[in-house]
Amino acid sequence: KAGQVGSARGEEVYLVGGAVRDLLLRNHNLDIDLVIEGQGIPFARELAAQFPGCRIRGHEKFGTAVILFEDNFKIDVATARHEYYARPGALPTVETSSIKRDLFRRDFTMNTLAISLNTRTIGHLIDFFGGSRDIKERIIRVLHNLAFVEDPTRILRAVRFSSRFGFAIGKHTLNLMKAAIRMKLFDKVEGKRLLNELIHMLEEKNPLSPLTLMDGYGIPQALHPALNFTPKTMELVESTIGVLSWWKYLFMKDQIDSWSVYFLALTDNLSDGDFKSVVERFSIVGDLGRHMASERILVRQALALFARGIIEKPSEIYSVLRNLSLETLLFMMAKTMREETRMAISEYIINYRYVKPLLTGKDLIRMGYEPGPIFAPILRTLKQASLDREVLTRSEAEDLVRR
Ligand code: CTP
């Protein structure tokens, strides 16, 4: 459809980037990125009109648009503008085709492939920079010497792709990358962008592999001097992977940010002060940053209580864990060395957090009690009794209230 719309409009349409790379690698990829030699936004509007029910969001300033389908599928559309390089006094001349220039701005040769979608040329592979050869040779190469200077987050992308695809980083590319790390180019990057890349890395299938590579290049320290991935950190990451796959197979409906569980693992060896500074460096500011910092302290306190063996009853487990987020609870499961603690937390996640008192405020009113501050402790006691299975029926609960 995209090719037909483009052809009818007299515009060239290309499928570009990760989708083409993954096609050559026979990997699954649902990201569709299109580049239009022409007018991206009007093109996207026309394409979207072919699919009832989809929405479109355009950014006039960048000439980009996203077509959002009902089932979360999306198509990103970008415009490759015809730019004219004119010397003063000279007639404007088109320097290169605009798709070539668009592809030249990209990070690695393997991401510079395009496939034509227009009716007459459909399926033609466009490879200006040797991308398909590098994919065949399983090698990551930059297009030019300034790739990492232009955007140091590409260092993290190189590591991520290298571990995801098992590709080597080319010799020259590796030298440029190491030089960029030594030159502290990360210092120039906004925290938000670094966090975004780190999240991508932590959301890979097996984050241990890119994290190990990252450590080998001294990247953690280059991101923040306090970051230090020790063998213990890596063990903690490994047990986090285990806990997160346990979580996944519970098929619970809660959405969690798995990256933040890993983030807690990677920063577990930091002092509270250093943690705060790392969180600031990654621009995890506002509520989330404060929340992470305070939960980290609560984790230590809760684990100490468990270690003393004084928390046994379900109601006690509930009261120690009730204020912690799911991410923090999963991190605690990864961190603890005690099987009993891990079991207690898992019981809390699966059962205890859903337990309700057998009676509600309305029931108490029905029983003749005046609504007031006394209700909260009564309901709390009822909930504890349910958790500890001391009352199992509503009439037992009513007896308890009367007592
Ligand atoms: N890109 C870049 N420099 C960056 C980020 C992205 O040059 N710092 C380019 C890449 O060439 C990439 C394209 O922008 O092909 C789109 O980026 P993105 O969707 O993040 O990359 P993918 O290659 O699709 O990666 P992934 O499979 O992880 O989504």
Side-chain angles (χ1 to χ4, degrees):
K1 279 267 163 63
Q4 285 166 7
V5 170
S7 301
R9 293 173 51 84
E11 295 172 331
E12 297 296 321
V13 182
Y14 303 95
L15 176 69
V16 297
V20 184
R21 174 197 71 215
D22 288 338
L23 212 61
L24 260 69
L25 285 166
R26 296 181 204 289
N27 285 342
H28 196 61
N29 188 332
L30 284 176
D31 282 348
I32 299 291
D33 290 295
L34 300 180
V35 170
I36 314 303
E37 276 183 328
Q39 303 276 331
I41 299 178
F43 165 89
R45 262 191 223 115
E46 243 178 80
L47 180 60
Q50 312 260 336
F51 303 97
C54 70
R55 288 175 300 128
I56 172 164
R57 247 193 349 238
H59 293 277
E60 295 288 344
K61 194 171 149 206
F62 302 108
T64 59
V66 193
I67 308 175
L68 299 152
F69 292 78
E70 275 165 341
D71 54 358
N72 281 338
F73 175 70
K74 68 180 178 62
I75 297 180
D76 282 291
V77 178
T79 305
R81 287 202 188 84
H82 283 281
E83 274 169 37
Y84 294 92
Y85 291 99
R87 277 169 284 116
L91 283 173
T93 48
V94 179
E95 184 89 351
T96 47
S97 79
S98 50
I99 182 70
K100 184 169 181 182
R101 228 174 315 111
D102 182 283
L103 296 170
F104 184 66
R105 286 191 291 111
R106 291 167 189 255
D107 49 2
F108 309 116
T109 57
M110 62 179 191
N111 289 331
T112 60
L113 296 168
I115 292 178
S116 168
L117 299 183
N118 286 79
T119 340
R120 270 185 310 110
T121 45
I122 192 158
H124 281 195
L125 181 71
I126 289 152
D127 181 4
F128 291 114
F129 310 105
S132 50
R133 178 202 60 211
D134 289 344
I135 288 177
K136 251 185 233 123
E137 291 177 6
R138 310 179 74 74
I139 199 147
I140 297 173
R141 282 209 180 96
V142 288
L143 276 81
H144 54 79
N145 289 351
L146 293 177
F148 296 118
V149 178
E150 269 174 9
D151 183 355
T153 67
R154 289 172 170 168
I155 298 169
L156 298 173
R157 287 173 62 86
V159 167
R160 177 157 63 90
F161 289 134
S162 162
S163 89
R164 187 199 292 171
F165 301 125
F167 280 22
I169 300 175
K171 198 166 159 235
H172 180 60
T173 299
L174 192 58
N175 284 335
L176 293 171
M177 191 175 115
K178 286 181 178 165
I181 297 169
R182 266 198 316 274
M183 284 160 62
K184 300 189 182 301
L185 292 188
F186 281 128
D187 291 357
K188 301 190 192 313
V189 184
E190 256 178 88
K192 256 197 217 134
R193 296 198 60 227
L194 287 183
L195 179 66
N196 191 30
E197 267 311 320
L198 184 68
I199 291 176
H200 277 310
M201 193 173 277
L202 298 177
E203 285 176 347
E204 288 285 309
K205 243 190 220 121
N206 173 14
L208 192 63
S209 146
L211 290 170
T212 309
L213 264 185
M214 194 175 149
D215 191 39
Y217 296 125
I219 294 174
Q221 291 78 1
L223 291 173
H224 189 289
L227 279 177
N228 180 16
F229 297 177
T230 63
K232 228 171 140 200
T233 312
M234 293 316 200
E235 270 172 39
L236 195 48
V237 169
E238 233 178 314
S239 65
T240 304
I241 294 174
V243 170
L244 286 173
S245 72
W246 169 81
W247 163 259
K248 189 172 155 204
Y249 288 106
L250 286 180
F251 294 108
M252 296 221 154
K253 57 179 188 311
D254 319 65
Q255 289 291 322
I256 62 155
D257 283 324
S258 54
W259 72 266
S260 72
V261 188
Y262 288 118
F263 190 86
L264 288 172
L266 292 174
T267 51
D268 189 50
N269 57 355
L270 303 187
S271 67
D272 289 337
D274 281 342
F275 181 80
K276 196 166 159 257
S277 156
V278 167
V279 158
E280 276 165 16
R281 174 62 188 110
F282 284 102
S283 300
I284 313 179
V285 283
D287 285 351
L288 181 59
R290 270 194 301 278
H291 172 83
M292 278 181 138
S294 64
E295 293 226 337
R296 219 170 151 259
I297 298 167
L298 292 177
V299 165
R300 286 202 298 267
Q301 292 170 347
L303 287 179
L305 287 175
F306 277 112
R308 283 164 59 194
I310 50 173
I311 298 170
E312 281 171 354
K313 290 207 273 181
S315 61
E316 292 163 347
I317 296 171
Y318 180 90
S319 71
V320 171
L321 301 179
R322 58 187 280 249
N323 289 320
L324 299 174
S325 67
L326 269 171
E327 286 86 349
T328 303
L329 291 166
L330 294 167
F331 167 65
M332 272 175 85
M333 285 178 74
K335 182 173 158 73
T336 184
M337 296 290 166
R338 287 178 84 242
E339 192 50 35
E340 297 95 314
T341 306
R342 198 169 303 125
M343 287 300 295
I345 302 171
S346 72
E347 281 294 335
Y348 173 82
I349 290 176
I350 299 170
N351 298 318
Y352 305 159
R353 69 190 169 116
Y354 297 114
V355 170
K356 296 256 174 322
L358 281 165
L359 303 176
T360 62
K362 273 202 192 107
D363 293 321
L364 296 181
I365 296 169
R366 190 179 37 76
M367 286 170 71
Y369 293 96
E370 280 284 325
I374 186 76
F375 272 31
I378 295 180
L379 293 171
R380 207 176 316 125
T381 307
L382 282 169
K383 185 159 170 167
Q384 281 170 4
S386 289
L387 278 161
D388 296 338
R389 306 192 63 72
E390 287 163 1
V391 297
L392 299 174
T393 63
R394 284 169 63 88
S395 71
E396 282 174 6
E398 284 171 12
D399 286 347
L400 180 67
V401 172
R402 288 197 190 95
R403 262 189 278 134

